């Protein structure tokens, strides 16, 4: 089963299961800062290596979205605000 994110102008961005899981979680509470600890719980992550995996998924999703659509994914990292 594959999932796709569509840009406002209907360009398709294919999503991996991890990208979909992360994006779906973030979309549940728009315009809210999601702390690192909450993302760790969502992903059943235990340590820094696991959090780096989450960051890698988000970085890959941002790059893929920009490469395919020419638009920036409206998800940003705010350093020093999430614990």
């Amino acid at each position: 089963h594959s999932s796709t994110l569509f840009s406002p102008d209907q360009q398709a961005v294919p999503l991996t299961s991890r990208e979909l899981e992360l994006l779906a979680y973030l979309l549940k509470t728009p315009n809210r800062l999601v702390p690192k600890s909450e993302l760790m719980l969502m992903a059943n992550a235990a340590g820094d290596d696991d959090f780096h995996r989450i960051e890698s998924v988000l970085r890959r999703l941002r790059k893929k979205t920009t490469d395919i659509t020419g638009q920036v994914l409206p998800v940003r990292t705010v350093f020093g605000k999430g614990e």
Side-chain angles (χ1 to χ4, degrees):
H1 182 263
S2 63
S3 298
T4 305
L5 173 69
F6 287 94
S7 69
D9 60 355
Q10 299 305 303
Q11 294 182 67
V13 180
L15 300 176
T16 66
S17 59
R18 286 190 180 171
E19 291 167 344
L20 176 62
E21 179 184 22
L22 178 59
L23 192 56
Y25 190 82
L26 294 173
L27 287 171
K28 285 181 184 178
T29 54
N31 301 314
R32 181 178 78 84
L33 180 68
V34 178
K36 175 181 176 178
S37 58
E38 194 173 323
L39 289 176
M40 298 281 285
L41 284 172
M42 178 271 310
N44 295 318
D48 284 341
D49 287 341
D50 289 330
F51 186 70
H52 291 302
R53 185 173 38 102
I54 295 168
E55 289 178 319
S56 294
V57 170
L58 185 54
R59 185 172 38 255
R60 185 175 59 239
L61 180 57
R62 285 182 178 130
K63 180 176 180 352
K64 185 189 318 187
T65 302
T66 302
D67 288 351
I68 292 172
T69 69
Q71 299 176 22
V72 176
L73 185 68
V75 174
R76 62 189 179 114
T77 302
V78 181
F79 292 99
K81 295 291 183 184
E83 282 301 320

